[in-house]
Amino acid sequence: MKRKMKFVIFICLSMLMPKVMIHAEETLTNEAEAFSLAEDWQDCNQCDENHPHQITTLKELDKIRTHTIEINGSTYINGYFTLSNDLIFTDSDFEEDGLFYNDGRGWTPIGHNNKSNAGVYFADSSKFIGYLDGSGYTIEGLKIKRENGYWYNGLFAGIAGGVIKNLVLKNFDIHADGAGVLCGQVFDIDDFAPTAVSNIRIENCNIENLSTAAKPSGLLIGAINSGNFDEIMIENSSLITHSSWRGSFIASEMHKGNITNVTVSLYAFPPIC
């Protein structure tokens, strides 16, 4: 009789255990989904390289700027992100009452503080130190139109030790100083590993550098302090500069780093840096 009772108890426990495990897994999934839908991602501790935020809309792309962390008194944009589909801006997004009108300036580069003074920018901007995998998808139709002196323009304002890969940037139209389709400047900060950018394709993009003063533009990045750049493809794109500083395919200037495997076709701008 005792043996029979033990057997019945074992069967009951074994039937209950999977239900408890499934319930716990569903709870974790729901918490992650709820956090992903939050208004901002400040102080997020839910994402990692194996569990990135899935970017499916332009609003979610814009929300990357809220994924901030404080390090030694400075604010940085960190986190792990991957595109799950193409993201396409329309002309109406940049018209009055459009989602990205921004007083006629268009897209605000991720991390930009909307201040024109370069010294202030260095002091309190939010540089991207995170991880973005485009998964081969396209961001298309981004527009920026800023007055002279608003430097660091592009999809991102500044990157410092970030990783960006497997991304197509198409039909960008940028009229601003210190611009690049991907970002305005890649910085060299001792606390972080060098920025790594790979497998980026730029198609049908246009940049016009407005000012005759210094802060020139490049097609991929405005200026590079340090970093590694591999498999960069640029097609049917143009750079117009009114500065005595000439721009180039990759950047207007590069202090240190590595550039490998660059392919350029149908271009209209100065030579490679």
Side-chain angles (χ1 to χ4, degrees):
M1 184 64 180
K2 291 181 179 178
R3 290 180 181 175
K4 185 176 180 180
M5 289 178 66
K6 287 181 180 178
F7 179 73
V8 171
I9 290 170
F10 175 77
I11 293 295
C12 291
L13 288 173
S14 65
M15 291 175 67
L16 287 170
M17 285 177 67
K19 293 181 180 179
V20 173
M21 291 174 66
I22 291 172
H23 177 70
E25 187 174 297
E26 288 176 348
T27 300
L28 289 172
T29 300
N30 291 337
E31 287 178 354
E33 288 177 352
F35 194 87
S36 181
L37 295 172
E39 290 186 5
D40 64 61
W41 287 325
Q42 186 174 4
D43 298 322
C44 166
N45 58 7
Q46 301 287 330
C47 64
D48 57 35
E49 190 168 355
N50 295 319
H51 304 89
H53 292 288
Q54 303 290 324
I55 305 298
T56 62
T57 68
L58 294 173
K59 286 185 177 181
E60 289 173 339
L61 178 69
D62 188 54
K63 196 164 70 169
I64 290 175
R65 71 182 73 248
T66 71
H67 201 299
T68 57
I69 186 173
E70 296 289 327
I71 300 177
N72 297 328
S74 297
T75 302
Y76 295 92
I77 300 170
N78 70 338
Y80 294 82
F81 311 92
T82 184
L83 265 59
S84 297
N85 49 258
D86 294 336
L87 301 175
I88 301 175
F89 293 89
T90 64
D91 289 343
S92 62
D93 288 327
F94 304 103
E95 294 172 355
E96 193 167 358
D97 297 326
L99 190 61
F100 302 103
Y101 177 64
N102 191 24
D103 293 327
R105 295 173 177 171
W107 173 260
T108 299
I110 295 172
H112 207 292
N113 59 15
N114 276 325
K115 296 179 181 178
S116 62
N117 183 286
V120 173
Y121 174 84
F122 280 107
D124 62 6
S125 68
S126 301
K127 302 172 185 66
F128 183 74
I129 62 171
Y131 177 100
L132 173 62
D133 186 350
S135 304
Y137 290 111
T138 298
I139 299 174
E140 181 175 352
L142 181 147
K143 293 184 179 182
I144 297 173
K145 187 176 182 180
R146 285 181 172 263
E147 305 92 327
N148 292 0
Y150 282 85
W151 301 349
Y152 310 103
N153 293 286
L155 177 62
F156 292 87
I159 303 172
V163 175
I164 299 178
K165 62 181 183 178
N166 307 326
L167 183 61
V168 180
L169 304 172
K170 185 176 181 180
N171 294 334
F172 280 35
D173 189 26
I174 300 174
H175 299 265
D177 293 333
V181 170
L182 181 62
C183 80
Q185 187 157 338
V186 172
F187 296 90
D188 182 17
I189 298 179
D190 292 338
D191 293 339
F192 307 120
T195 292
V197 175
S198 63
N199 194 24
I200 305 296
R201 186 179 186 91
I202 295 175
E203 296 181 13
N204 304 318
C205 292
N206 172 67
I207 291 178
E208 181 181 10
N209 197 84
L210 303 178
S211 177
T212 57
K215 211 49 178 177
S217 300
L219 228 300
L220 177 69
I221 294 165
I224 298 171
N225 292 96
S226 177
N228 298 307
F229 307 86
D230 184 43
E231 293 187 73
I232 309 299
M233 292 147 280
I234 300 173
E235 181 178 351
N236 196 30
S237 297
S238 64
L239 171 64
I240 299 171
T241 177
H242 300 287
S243 170
S244 57
W245 289 36
R246 294 173 66 85
S248 73
F249 297 129
I250 302 300
S252 63
E253 57 180 311
M254 182 172 183
H255 296 273
K256 62 180 179 179
N258 299 291
I259 301 174
T260 53
N261 301 314
V262 178
T263 303
V264 180
S265 62
L266 300 175
Y267 63 89
F269 47 94
I272 195 166
C273 70

